[in-house]
Amino acid sequence: VSMAQRVFREFNAVLSLVEEEKTVGEEVEPLVNLIVEVRKELRKMKLYDLADRIRSELLKHGIILQDKGPETTWIKRTFNSS
């Protein structure tokens, strides 16, 4: 983390200018993987409304799902200072 990022985060902690996005810790990766697998099964059963709801809820928590055909991968959204 650069000096500018540290200073920004310290000011932000006091002033709450910007809400920083949280990322997923390693301890929850197995849980996210399970949720993604359940969503994959829902898509196979053509329960798209529920699958979309899972996608939306995960996005609120910084998890971005990427569907490529029948496969789904996910990435963690991280704080970006640019």
Side-chain angles (χ1 to χ4, degrees):
V1 179
S2 73
M3 175 76 141
Q5 287 174 321
R6 279 195 299 268
V7 170
F8 172 78
R9 287 182 179 157
E10 287 178 27
F11 277 116
N12 193 50
V14 174
L15 301 174
S16 299
L17 299 172
V18 177
E19 183 178 322
E20 290 191 44
E21 297 169 6
K22 297 177 183 175
T23 61
V24 178
E26 289 180 20
E27 65 277 0
V28 291
E29 286 187 28
L31 181 58
V32 173
N33 288 332
L34 174 62
I35 294 169
V36 168
E37 286 302 312
V38 168
R39 182 178 172 275
K40 181 177 172 180
E41 292 302 316
L42 291 170
R43 291 178 68 216
K44 282 183 187 176
M45 296 177 351
K46 299 184 180 191
L47 296 172
Y48 300 116
D49 288 344
L50 190 52
D52 289 345
R53 182 174 174 202
I54 290 172
R55 172 194 292 279
S56 296
E57 291 299 317
L58 287 174
L59 185 59
K60 289 178 187 177
H61 297 283
I63 306 296
I64 300 170
L65 299 183
Q66 299 173 323
D67 294 321
K68 293 180 183 169
E71 297 302 315
T72 301
T73 57
W74 62 274
I75 58 172
K76 302 177 246 184
R77 184 170 51 188
T78 57
F79 178 74
N80 185 352
S81 62
S82 57

